[in-house]
């Protein structure tokens, strides 16, 4: 027998003719092709084919399926004979239906008989490129704003007498296939709860759509079954899919075998298949698997297949809708990205594998994002030294676990705008630590993130002279400067695990000078080791406390370093004052000491010890002079701000070594 499809008809009428003829009669069949097309077209028009105004001809007459109530197009069968007596049967089907012979040859999941509309299996047209192209989270473009009224309506619908009645109510405002699917999706996600008790007693559960509707709860099979029937009633092609999932209880690097553990759906819209998971779209379960909370998740509606495969592996690889398809081994080893990862604008993480092996006791992770984001992390089961650096488009994390073994790492994120928002878990890794780097030891006071970033720029600190998060110094000294974009008061402090000083004393190793909108820090370390340099700020007009902004890690390996503190300054030490010498707070006894300072808006200045030594304003704008430390224990620098005043103010204090 021969099989032929007539597709040469230039009219919009879509006809598929199944010709069953003997090989020697093929010429006769070809001759009859044109006549049969014309005859069939005229017959179809008499039988009720009408145009829909969009260039498509559809059957006007429908046959109603008594089980689901879904509308199914009728089939016309024409029997005729050639002049030579060859018997020919022509089946005329509506567009996108399947000839009976094809059905018989292709029976299986996704094909239907008995007059129902055929469900087209996924093909090349449905495939999306893998990996993700980073362009869109959805498999088809649409604006969520177009669904605002529809969603609001669907959420309020309470019809539960029957599935048919529910769909009929939803379809009052849903007209296109996309709107129908959206209304069904929205209703299920807001009205069907996950049945935690039923999950442990599946043998007692009914997954029939009418029972799921009446009870208002089910597990994934019930969600998917109800979704499928509601789509069928609405006249939208829908498939119930099953496979493996990385859902509740999933462990990084877990392998999958045996019975499939999840169910979801595929819907046919605009000539292509799309994926939805109404179970995961409805809400979440707590860590103890004891409580379900309705928490709508838009991510799982028409999800881009290259993202859906992240945690859904169908039993039939064709339903991945991907080119190339992902293997089970890839699915098992691939990183699990939480839905919040993509919803927040994050793009990728490196390494992309769920399990990371330490290299020389260290793990390095990079996260890419579309926009500036805030991050935090937690390593469970072990202490770890870490450095997290924010980037304008993501972050870098260096981790040094202090215990061998397998540890769970969770990474959290939140948008940079809207400080009230909470951090959401977006990534989970398993860290396999084979060896500990004992040479790494960061101070406890080191806060994450470390170093300047887009965040510190928003706080008003621009153009840092040190852009790296770690400052290395061999002689124990370094300078640091910023341009301030806001009218800020700034404080800084130095911290170390071995530096047992008060907060005020910790600032004595920092000399701060502010000239206009530039602020400079001169830092002297008291000894070798690792230190934290913290910066605090507040608006000058704000009478409140200083707020922490950011910090640096300072590393000094030189064991001979031992710098003294800077002199104590008082409240009258004004912005714009600068000390050039002496810088050490402890002065040698019985010596002449030179002084050089830049002071402004004062009438007089002098050094007070056993005697008074005046400072003279030089031509280059510095107040200079000297004093003797003979017979004294303390030295003060004092100023007279107004010539009409009689009282001098202390601005600096020095101590003198014991004689």
């Amino acid at each position: 027998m021969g099989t032929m499809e007539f597709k040469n008809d230039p009219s919009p009428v879509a006809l598929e003719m199944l010709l069953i003829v003997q090989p020697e009669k093929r010429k006769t069949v070809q001759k009859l092709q044109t006549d049969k097309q014309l005859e069939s077209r005229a017959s179809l028009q008499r039988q009720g084919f009408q145009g829909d105004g969009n260039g498509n001809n559809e059957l006007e007459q429908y046959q109603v399926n008594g089980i689901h109530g879904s509308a199914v197009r009728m089939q016309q069968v024409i029997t005729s004979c050639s002049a030579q007596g060859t018997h020919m049967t022509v089946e005329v089907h509506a567009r996108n239906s399947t000839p009976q012979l094809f059905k018989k040859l292709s029976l299986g999941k996704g094909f239907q008989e008995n007059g129902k509309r055929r469900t087209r299996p996924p093909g090349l047209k449905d495939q999306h490129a893998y990996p993700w192209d980073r362009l869109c989270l959805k498999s088809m473009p649409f604006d969520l704003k177009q669904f605002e009224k529809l969603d609001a309506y669907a959420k309020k619908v309470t019809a539960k007498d029957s599935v048919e009645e529910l769909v009929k109510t939803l379809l009052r405002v849903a007209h296109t296939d996309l709107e129908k699917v959206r209304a069904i999706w929205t209703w299920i996600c807001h009205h069907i709860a996950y049945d935690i008790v039923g999950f442990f007693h599946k043998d007692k559960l009914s997954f029939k759509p009418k029972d799921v509707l009446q009870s208002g709860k089910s597990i994934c099979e019930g969600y998917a079954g109800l979704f499928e029937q509601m789509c069928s009633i609405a006249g939208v092609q829908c498939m119930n899919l099953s496979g493996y999932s990385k859902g509740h209880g999933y462990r990084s690097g877990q392998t999958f075998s045996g019975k499939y553990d999840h169910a979801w759906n595929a819907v046919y819209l605009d000539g292509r298949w799309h994926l939805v998971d109404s179970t995961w779209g409805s809400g979440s379960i707590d860590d103890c698997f004891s409580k379900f909370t309705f928490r709508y998740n838009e991510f799982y509606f028409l999800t881009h297949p290259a993202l859906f495969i992240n945690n859904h592996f169908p039993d039939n690889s064709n339903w991945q809708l991907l080119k190339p398809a992902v293997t089970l081994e890839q699915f098992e080893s691939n990183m699990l990205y939480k839905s919040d990862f993509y919803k927040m604008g994050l793009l990728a993480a490196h390494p992309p594998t769920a399990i990371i092996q330490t290299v020389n006791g260290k793990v390095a992770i990079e996260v890419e994002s579309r926009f500036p984001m805030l991050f935090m992390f937690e390593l469970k089961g072990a202490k770890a030294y870490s450095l997290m650096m924010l980037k304008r488009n993501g972050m870098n994390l260096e981790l040094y676990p202090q215990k061998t073994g397998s540890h769970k790492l969770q990474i959290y994120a939140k948008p940079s705008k809207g400080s009230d928002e909470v951090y959401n878990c977006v990534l989970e890794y398993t860290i396999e630590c084979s060896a500990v780097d004992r040479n790494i030891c960061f101070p406890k006071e080191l806060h994450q993130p470390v170093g300047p970033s887009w965040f510190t720029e928003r706080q008003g600190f621009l153009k840092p002279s040190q852009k790296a998060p770690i400052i290395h110094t061999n002689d124990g000294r370094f300078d640091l400067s910023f341009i301030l974009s806001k009218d800020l008061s700034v404080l800084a402090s130095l911290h170390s695990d071995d530096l047992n000083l008060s907060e005020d004393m910790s600032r004595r190793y920092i000399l701060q000078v502010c000239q206009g909108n530039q602020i400079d820090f001169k830092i002297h370390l008291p000894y070798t080791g690792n230190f934290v340099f913290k910066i605090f700020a507040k608006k000058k007009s704000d009478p409140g406390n200083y707020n922490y902004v950011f910090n640096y890690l300072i590393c000094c390996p030189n064991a001979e370093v031992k710098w003294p503190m800077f002199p104590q300054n008082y409240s009258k030490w004004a912005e714009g004052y600068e000390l050039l010498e002496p810088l050490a707070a402890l002065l040698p006894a019985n010596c002449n000491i030179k002084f050089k300072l830049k002071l402004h808006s004062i009438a007089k200045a002098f050094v007070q010890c056993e005697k008074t030594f005046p400072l003279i304003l030089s031509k280059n704008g510095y107040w200079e002079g000297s004093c003797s430390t003979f017979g004294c224990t303390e030295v003060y620098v004092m100023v007279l701000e107004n010539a009409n005043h009689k009282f001098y103010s202390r601005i600096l204090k020095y101590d003198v070594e014991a004689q």
Side-chain angles (χ1 to χ4, degrees), residues 170-300:
L170 292 174
L171 264 54
R172 290 174 184 171
V173 297
H175 307 294
T176 67
D177 282 356
L178 176 59
E179 289 174 347
K180 293 174 183 178
V181 170
R182 180 68 183 193
I184 292 168
W185 154 270
T186 301
W187 191 91
I188 290 178
C189 288
H190 290 86
H191 292 85
I192 304 299
Y194 194 86
D195 190 350
I196 295 177
V197 175
F199 175 82
F200 295 103
H201 303 88
K202 296 179 183 178
D203 56 324
K204 297 181 180 180
L205 283 183
S206 170
F207 300 122
K208 293 180 180 179
K210 64 176 182 179
D211 294 332
V212 173
L213 178 65
Q214 293 298 322
S215 66
K217 59 185 178 179
S218 189
I219 61 175
C220 59
E221 295 170 71
Y223 279 89
L226 177 60
F227 192 95
E228 182 184 27
Q229 187 179 39
M230 291 178 71
C231 285
S232 179
I233 295 171
V236 179
Q237 294 187 61
C238 179
M239 285 293 294
N240 193 334
L241 307 179
S242 61
Y244 296 125
S245 68
K246 295 180 180 179
H248 193 281
Y250 167 76
R251 303 180 309 278
S252 297
Q254 173 183 329
T255 58
F256 295 87
S257 62
K259 187 178 179 181
Y260 297 113
D261 62 6
H262 194 45
W264 59 93
N265 298 98
V267 290
Y268 194 73
L269 299 170
D270 289 351
R272 299 182 77 180
W273 284 105
H274 304 269
L275 302 169
V276 297
D277 187 341
S278 56
T279 309
W280 290 8
S282 64
S284 59
I285 301 170
D286 62 2
D287 291 339
C288 299
F289 207 83
S290 60
K291 180 182 179 182
F292 170 80
T293 303
F294 277 108
R295 186 177 293 115
Y296 176 72
N297 193 339
E298 171 64 34
F299 181 76
Y300 293 105

Side-chain angles (χ1 to χ4, degrees), residues 241-244 260 264 309 312-320:
L241 307 179
S242 61
Y244 296 125
Y260 297 113
W264 59 93
I309 193 63
H312 293 73
F313 189 85
D315 56 3
N316 184 332
S317 62
N318 290 333
W319 285 109
Q320 293 181 21

Side-chain angles (χ1 to χ4, degrees), residues 12-13 48-60 62 73 95-96 177:
V13 178
F49 266 116
Q50 300 292 334
D52 63 2
N54 297 315
N56 300 315
N57 287 339
E58 302 288 345
L59 274 174
E60 188 180 54
Y62 292 89
R73 291 181 176 85
R95 186 188 303 272
N96 295 329
D177 282 356

Side-chain angles (χ1 to χ4, degrees), residues 507-571:
R507 297 194 180 104
R508 294 282 300 278
Y509 291 95
I510 304 166
L511 187 61
Q512 178 177 320
V513 177
C514 191
Q515 300 283 356
N517 67 341
Q518 179 170 321
I519 187 167
D520 300 291
F521 299 98
K522 189 181 293 290
I523 298 96
H524 288 180
L525 301 180
Y527 44 77
T528 184
N530 295 331
F531 296 82
V532 178
F533 179 72
K534 290 187 177 182
I535 295 178
F536 304 81
K538 70 172 184 176
K539 292 181 180 179
K540 288 182 179 179
S541 59
D542 187 354
N545 297 325
Y546 285 83
N547 298 312
Y548 167 79
V549 182
F550 69 112
N551 56 192
Y552 283 90
L553 175 64
I554 304 168
C555 300
C556 178
N558 190 347
E560 297 181 2
V561 165
K562 189 177 181 180
W563 290 99
M565 292 184 291
F566 292 106
Q568 179 182 353
N569 60 58
Y570 292 91
S571 59

Side-chain angles (χ1 to χ4, degrees), residues 459-515:
Q459 305 306 308
F461 291 80
L462 308 180
K463 298 182 178 180
S465 59
Q466 298 281 353
K467 296 181 179 180
I470 304 177
I471 298 174
H472 297 275
T473 172
N474 191 55
D475 66 358
R477 299 180 295 177
F478 66 93
D479 297 329
L480 188 60
S481 65
F482 299 90
I483 300 297
L484 300 179
S485 64
K486 299 179 181 181
D487 194 20
L488 298 174
S489 292
V490 179
L491 283 179
S493 58
L494 191 68
H495 303 267
S496 168
D497 290 347
D498 300 323
L499 189 62
N500 189 19
L501 298 175
S502 65
E503 190 170 339
D504 288 338
M505 293 298 289
S506 70
R507 297 194 180 104
R508 294 282 300 278
Y509 291 95
I510 304 166
L511 187 61
Q512 178 177 320
V513 177
C514 191
Q515 300 283 356

